[in-house]
Amino acid sequence: MRAPPRPGPGAPRPYHFPATESHLLANGLRVLVAPLHRLPAATVLLLTPAGGEVEGADAAGLAALTAPALLEGTSQRDTNAQAAAFEQLGGEVFSAVAWTHADCGTTVMSSRLDATLGLLAETVMEPALPSAGVARLRDERQAELLQQQAEPRGLADDLLLASCFDAGDRLSRPLGGDMARVAACTDAMVRDFHRSRYVPRGSVLIVAGDVKADAVVRRAEATFGTWEDRTLPPHEGRSRAALPARVRVLHRPDAPQSELRVGHASVARTHPDFHALAVMNAILGGLFNSRINLNLRERHAYTYGAFSSFDWRRDASIFSASTAVQSEVTGPALREMLHEITRIREAPVAADELSLAVDYLTGVFPLRFETTAAIADALAMRIGFGLEPSYYDTYRERVRAVDAAAVLRVAQEHLHPDRLQVVVVGDAGVVEPALGELSLGAIERVSAGG
């Protein structure tokens, strides 16, 4: 007896990203308000132009050390009192860093917004940045890095970064820095970085929730209006020369598995082909039913999962495919990954592949914005990358406009088999002969952090 056919997907429901109101304070701080009256809550997020990409490569990790140091107390209260003050407001404060910016924020009942803005202003404008607190954060980061050096997945990710960019390029190192550079970060460097990069001009205060824009602006002027106006040089993107293909192996004696990474530097997040690239990647390796996963997992049973992705950056992103396999099938699994990257450049994708990818990307889109924190994060991403204000309103329309010809074009223009950086973390004695049989070129053996 045959099962009845599954019902097809319904038509996507209309979705409109919340409208925002923008106001510029006299000191250059922009206030962006997204009124949402579903629940009596509000998310407050302060973005500052202090992301990882503004560091030099020699200071990698300084931004990631400075952001959490804001929660080590202020000029008015120590770290315990600061934490207690946020807890009394009912919110859990965080301070983190991205490549494009640093952000500090919390979510509270909207009735407590005024007090929250005051405490957030004190946290960002008057941090104590104590030597002992900075030292503790540095020790914690070094402990994380030590732990990561025992983790093949993290080693493979870091080695791919180092392979996709020149050694002197900040993007060649993790956002959180590496062992040597984090160890060199001093509390004086943290204070200097805060003084130079945490400034109102170029910063954005985002408030999303059950609020009125004019009231938020008045309170923002009262709390952030005394922040000294200083001008930062504008971000200037730079082009990067394409690196030739390489094969690098990080030897882990007797490792039962190999971590595989294949990728190269790619276009900036603002590239006009972004939506077509998103669809192409969904078909290639972005979804469970994508080509790479079906090939390596379902057809050959090499792995539990294999995927591809774009790690988007403002100047130069990274395209990569990744998986973990038993050491003995490292060569065949890598061959199949390379085959799929080549295949999607050779012929238009099938209609059912295209519709699956488009339906998924447009279908999950509204689900990403169900909370005030999600709305604030989305606005932060849009601002960080300098995307147009209508980005979220036009996203689904632009994805639905991608056809098979566009997928083929962007695959041919933006996937470069001749530039692929192949990274393997595994037992070199087992994997190197198999890699040699693939004729990918000379194999370079490297060490962790090398």
Side-chain angles (χ1 to χ4, degrees), residues 313-398:
R313 311 279 177 79
R314 185 150 55 166
D315 292 343
S317 308
I318 295 178
F319 162 75
S320 68
S322 62
T323 191
V325 299
Q326 288 188 334
S327 301
E328 291 73 16
V329 298
T330 299
L334 178 58
R335 182 178 60 239
E336 294 304 321
M337 291 175 76
L338 299 177
H339 165 71
E340 293 298 351
I341 293 171
T342 299
R343 186 165 75 95
I344 202 166
R345 301 176 74 251
E346 293 179 336
V349 297
D352 59 340
E353 291 180 300
L354 179 65
S355 64
L356 177 66
V358 170
D359 288 347
Y360 175 81
L361 292 173
T362 57
V364 302
F365 180 74
L367 304 179
R368 297 159 51 190
F369 309 122
E370 293 186 332
T371 66
T372 57
I375 294 292
D377 287 343
L379 289 170
M381 190 283 287
R382 194 197 82 192
I383 294 166
F385 284 120
L387 302 175
E388 67 272 20
S390 63
Y391 170 75
Y392 292 112
D393 291 325
T394 61
Y395 175 87
R396 293 205 291 179
E397 176 186 346
R398 292 188 179 189

Side-chain angles (χ1 to χ4, degrees), residues 21 27 59 113 129 136 140 144 209 213 233 242 266 271 277 287 300-301 324 344 350 389 417:
E21 299 183 40
N27 61 5
L113 180 64
L129 303 176
R136 180 179 54 77
E140 290 176 356
E144 291 174 0
S266 188
H271 195 284
L277 285 169
L287 305 179
H300 289 99
I344 202 166

Side-chain angles (χ1 to χ4, degrees), residues 154-179:
L155 289 171
D157 290 339
D158 288 354
L159 183 54
L160 181 64
L161 269 182
S163 301
C164 289
F165 300 100
D166 289 326
D169 193 321
R170 174 63 186 93
L171 298 186
S172 70
R173 306 185 191 286
L175 178 60
D178 54 28
M179 186 63 75

Side-chain angles (χ1 to χ4, degrees), residues 149-210:
Q149 289 182 2
E151 168 58 46
R153 181 177 301 179
L155 289 171
D157 290 339
D158 288 354
L159 183 54
L160 181 64
L161 269 182
S163 301
C164 289
F165 300 100
D166 289 326
D169 193 321
R170 174 63 186 93
L171 298 186
S172 70
R173 306 185 191 286
L175 178 60
D178 54 28
M179 186 63 75
R181 287 157 186 83
V182 170
C185 287
T186 66
D187 52 323
M189 291 169 65
V190 167
R191 285 190 280 272
D192 285 345
F193 187 77
H194 174 268
R195 189 179 304 112
S196 63
R197 301 302 309 188
Y198 283 72
V199 298
R201 194 164 295 278
S203 297
V204 182
L205 176 67
I206 298 171
V207 180
D210 187 20

Side-chain angles (χ1 to χ4, degrees), residues 40 86-91 108-118:
F86 275 108
E87 287 177 1
Q88 288 172 359
L89 292 171
V108 297
M109 300 295 288
S110 50
S111 59
R112 297 172 176 173
L113 180 64
D114 286 359
T116 301
L117 287 174

Side-chain angles (χ1 to χ4, degrees), residues 6-73:
R6 294 181 179 179
R13 295 181 180 179
Y15 175 79
H16 300 287
F17 192 80
T20 58
E21 299 183 40
S22 178
H23 181 85
L24 189 66
L25 301 189
N27 61 5
L29 174 66
R30 180 165 298 282
V31 181
L32 193 63
V33 184
L36 302 163
H37 302 296
R38 293 192 296 264
L39 295 171
T43 294
V44 182
L45 196 60
L46 181 66
L47 270 63
T48 49
E53 66 185 15
V54 302
E55 306 168 329
D58 291 340
L62 180 58
L65 196 59
T66 304
L70 299 184
L71 304 183
E72 293 296 316

